[in-house]
Amino acid sequence: MFKKISALIRQVAGKPLPALPSPLVLSKRRRFAVAILLMFHIMGFLSSLDALMSSRTSQGSIAWIVSLNTFPYVSVPAYWIFGRQKFQGYVISRRETDSDLWLKHQLKMSTVDRFQLQNSRIRGNMQAVESLAKMPFLTGNDIEYLIDGQQKFDSIFAGIRAAEHYVLAQYYIIRNDAIGRQFQQALIEKAQQGVPVYLLYDEIGSYRLGRNYLRQLEQAGVQVRPFHSTKGPGNRFQLNFRNHRKLVITDGKHAWLGGANIGDEYLGQSLRYGHWRDTHLKITGPAVMSVQLSFVEDWYWSSEVIPELTWEPVVAERRDLPVLILPSGPADRHETASLMMQHMIHSAVERFWISSPYFVPDEGVLSALKLAALRGVDVRILIPERTDNYLVYLAAYAFVAPLIELGIDIYRYQDGVLHSKSFLVDHHVSSVGTVNLDNRSFRLNFEITALIGGEEPNQQLEQIFLQDFGRSRTMTVEEIEQKSLLFRALSRAAYLMAPVL
């Protein structure tokens, strides 16, 4: 062994040493490296000023300021992709009175004025929500709850086939699978009949869709646009905003909105997820105008074109329900979705039941839930046992124990994946929409919520909740305390990541 080592040393010693870089080259490299490091620290400092002025929570501001000045090499790119919570440049017709949208639709939307809900118990409790929406509760509507994917797709495809004047469709996720191709074909057939068809999709949620799918739609005459979440000089690096709305509108008469996207998994055909439990809503009546306005705002942002649509409300024949449509998103002046949820919880006197696939609420909503339980409100929260986001599953274990101790029932759905986003307030208000109980829906996503007044739709949704409760288990404080230290540490870490979940 000693001889082998000696031979190796002699072999290496016999070779010339590699040339060292000249002092001049080394100096240039050092100066370049110092310049890069200095640039990152300057960008970190400037970004921390932006975080100080724009972050909506003190915790978020402090976290970003510390990280941007301590580890700018990683934190600066992360901040400009994930950190900012204000979507710049988006023109909202109901809020900006000098915008083209407002000027062109002020007169058209005035046609719904005669359908405004007058003095009633519902409106008395909902004035804050009307102020957030910049739209009132409108009467003359009918609604239908669509449970799970098959009911939703059957209803929407029938509506598209019956459309005579136009079809508007908007989705966060569109898959190029069996149901996705059926959806594509339904739009193509309608466009080939000469009916204008508009399709808006979120390019991040639908990143796997494929150019060929879109090209076939365009060749058939369908007008297709991505939402363009990175459009505008202040949004170039923002990949954190999503347009999470899912809706279809036909002829200004009917609108569909809710939790289900376009994909086979929403039919329960995914081997990974199995049965998929979702809730969608069909609206007929003047409230469709409000859904249509939300679509036009998004379409205008993506294309700078306002489509020619019908703005004369059509009254439903069967029922006369008050409905309010509440769009929300990061372009709003206020945290519309969070404020809406807090107000609904605070307004509850007898019960507040809610279903959400992602349950990582902010402090305002958590406090509202606790106060509701303390004043004797029947608070029930339905969340999934099986989820497509394991961090969200973990995070819930970090804060639910105090809720359970206050008497709040937290149900874990057992029969597949729960993806429904709905809630009940007492016995006269119910809701279906796209908002989850998490920071992303409250502050980063464009969402839409329908609030429905009346005892009959409330009772219908109550029966749906009771069926879901029957397929669920109730969480206990003991099961949380029995978790290992590692599990509890991971759940706490996941909860601290709630702002980006």
Side-chain angles (χ1 to χ4, degrees):
M1 177 64 69
F2 178 76
K3 291 181 179 180
K4 291 182 179 180
I5 295 175
S6 300
L8 182 60
I9 293 174
R10 287 193 299 271
Q11 182 180 357
V12 173
K15 294 182 178 180
L17 293 173
L20 295 173
S22 67
L24 182 61
V25 173
L26 192 61
S27 178
K28 286 182 178 180
R29 289 179 179 175
R30 283 179 178 173
R31 287 200 300 270
F32 180 74
V34 169
I36 293 294
L37 294 177
L38 182 61
M39 180 189 69
F40 266 104
H41 280 278
I42 293 173
M43 292 177 63
F45 174 74
L46 295 176
S47 299
S48 67
L49 294 179
D50 184 80
L52 176 66
M53 301 303 295
S54 62
S55 293
R56 297 190 178 186
T57 64
S58 58
Q59 297 93 331
S61 294
I62 293 171
W64 279 117
I65 289 170
V66 171
S67 60
L68 285 167
N69 287 281
T70 308
F71 307 104
Y73 327 109
V74 176
S75 300
V76 167
Y79 177 74
W80 288 103
I81 294 175
F82 301 111
R84 293 165 61 242
Q85 297 197 30
K86 199 68 176 176
F87 194 83
Q88 302 296 335
Y90 183 89
V91 178
I92 300 180
S93 67
R94 289 162 292 130
R95 298 166 173 79
E96 302 296 339
T97 56
D98 59 347
S99 73
D100 290 341
L101 276 177
W102 190 89
L103 294 172
K104 292 182 178 180
H105 287 301
Q106 182 187 27
L107 180 61
K108 294 179 180 179
M109 284 300 292
S110 67
T111 59
V112 304
D113 288 348
R114 66 185 186 274
F115 298 102
Q116 288 189 29
L117 181 64
Q118 300 305 315
N119 295 330
S120 73
R121 177 186 177 188
I122 295 171
R123 194 178 185 200
N125 292 334
M126 296 295 124
Q127 288 182 354
V129 179
E130 288 185 327
S131 297
L132 285 171
K134 297 295 189 292
M135 289 291 292
F137 269 92
L138 300 177
T139 59
N141 303 285
D142 191 7
I143 66 100
E144 179 184 1
Y145 296 115
L146 304 171
I147 309 306
D148 294 335
Q150 194 63 56
Q151 287 188 13
K152 173 216 165 169
F153 290 120
D154 288 348
S155 179
I156 287 178
F157 289 163
I160 293 174
R161 288 192 297 270
E164 298 178 349
H165 303 293
Y166 55 84
V167 175
L168 314 176
Q170 176 178 359
Y171 277 95
Y172 173 59
I173 295 174
I174 303 175
R175 306 276 193 211
N176 187 4
D177 53 19
I179 196 64
R181 287 186 288 273
Q182 290 183 44
F183 177 69
Q184 178 196 46
Q185 189 60 33
L187 298 182
I188 288 174
E189 290 176 359
K190 189 52 59 173
Q192 290 174 340
Q193 294 172 13
V195 176
V197 179
Y198 301 84
L199 175 63
L200 185 64
Y201 67 95
D202 185 272
E203 63 268 40
I204 299 175
S206 301
Y207 74 97
R208 295 182 179 178
L209 185 56
R211 182 58 198 161
N212 187 54
Y213 183 101
L214 300 172
R215 187 181 300 111
Q216 292 175 23
L217 287 164
E218 293 168 344
Q219 290 173 348
V222 178
Q223 299 189 52
V224 184
R225 295 287 188 279
F227 177 66
H228 284 317
S229 60
T230 57
K231 175 184 174 183
N235 306 316
R236 294 299 184 190
F237 303 105
Q238 280 296 332
L239 303 179
N240 209 23
F241 297 124
R242 309 282 190 274
N243 197 309
H244 197 236
R245 295 167 183 162
K246 304 112 178 162
L247 55 91
V248 173
I249 303 163
T250 60
D251 297 342
K253 299 178 180 179
H254 310 285
W256 292 260
L257 62 86
N261 290 287
I262 303 292
D264 286 346
E265 66 263 40
Y266 300 95
L267 287 165
Q269 297 178 3
S270 168
L271 295 177
R272 177 182 177 184
Y273 299 119
H275 174 64
W276 191 281
R277 168 72 188 87
D278 225 317
T279 303
H280 230 69
L281 182 72
K282 179 183 178 182
I283 305 171
T284 301
V288 174
M289 296 291 97
S290 300
V291 185
Q292 186 166 277
L293 180 59
S294 172
F295 177 89
V296 170
E297 289 170 354
D298 289 347
W299 186 267
Y300 184 77
W301 167 258
S302 66
S303 66
E304 299 183 1
V305 173
I306 301 175
E308 292 295 325
L309 306 174
T310 299
W311 294 96
E312 182 60 37
V314 177
V315 179
E317 297 179 357
R318 193 168 66 93
R319 289 193 289 190
D320 181 18
L321 298 175
V323 175
L324 181 140
I325 302 299
L326 179 73
S328 58
D332 297 352
R333 293 185 183 276
H334 308 288
E335 296 176 357
T336 301
S338 178
L339 289 174
M340 177 271 294
M341 194 63 67
Q342 292 178 55
H343 177 71
M344 301 310 298
I345 300 169
H346 286 307
S347 66
V349 176
E350 300 176 26
R351 67 177 177 182
F352 181 80
W353 297 359
I354 187 165
S355 170
S356 177
Y358 308 125
F359 181 57
V360 194
D362 58 20
E363 287 298 325
V365 172
L366 272 177
S367 297
L369 290 170
K370 293 175 182 178
L371 286 170
L374 287 169
R375 65 176 183 267
V377 176
D378 175 15
V379 180
R380 306 188 193 185
I381 301 168
L382 179 65
I383 57 178
E385 185 80 81
R386 185 188 307 174
T387 180
D388 58 351
N389 189 326
Y390 189 67
L391 286 177
V392 171
Y393 172 85
L394 279 175
Y397 282 90
F399 61 87
V400 296
L403 301 180
I404 298 172
E405 290 172 346
L406 286 172
I408 295 176
D409 292 324
I410 299 180
Y411 294 86
R412 286 280 193 183
Y413 188 76
Q414 302 292 297
D415 187 18
V417 173
L418 175 83
H419 197 250
S420 173
K421 311 152 202 301
S422 58
F423 61 80
L424 289 177
V425 180
D426 295 338
H427 296 276
H428 58 278
V429 175
S430 50
S431 175
V432 173
T434 66
V435 174
N436 298 307
L437 281 180
D438 64 1
N439 179 72
R440 175 162 293 281
S441 276
F442 288 165
R443 297 179 177 89
L444 301 176
N445 287 348
F446 289 86
E447 309 279 8
I448 190 165
T449 303
L451 298 172
I452 308 131
E455 293 184 4
E456 184 181 356
N458 187 284
Q459 291 171 358
Q460 291 175 337
L461 191 57
E462 174 187 4
Q463 292 304 311
I464 296 170
F465 266 102
L466 291 174
Q467 292 176 8
D468 290 337
F469 292 152
R471 299 186 178 101
S472 307
R473 69 174 183 86
T474 307
M475 293 186 70
T476 64
V477 174
E478 289 73 23
E479 75 171 272
I480 299 171
E481 293 175 344
Q482 291 172 2
K483 295 291 184 181
S484 68
L485 179 60
L486 176 60
F487 183 94
R488 283 181 284 165
L490 290 174
S491 68
R492 187 63 186 172
Y495 182 55
L496 292 177
M497 295 176 61
V500 296
L501 288 179

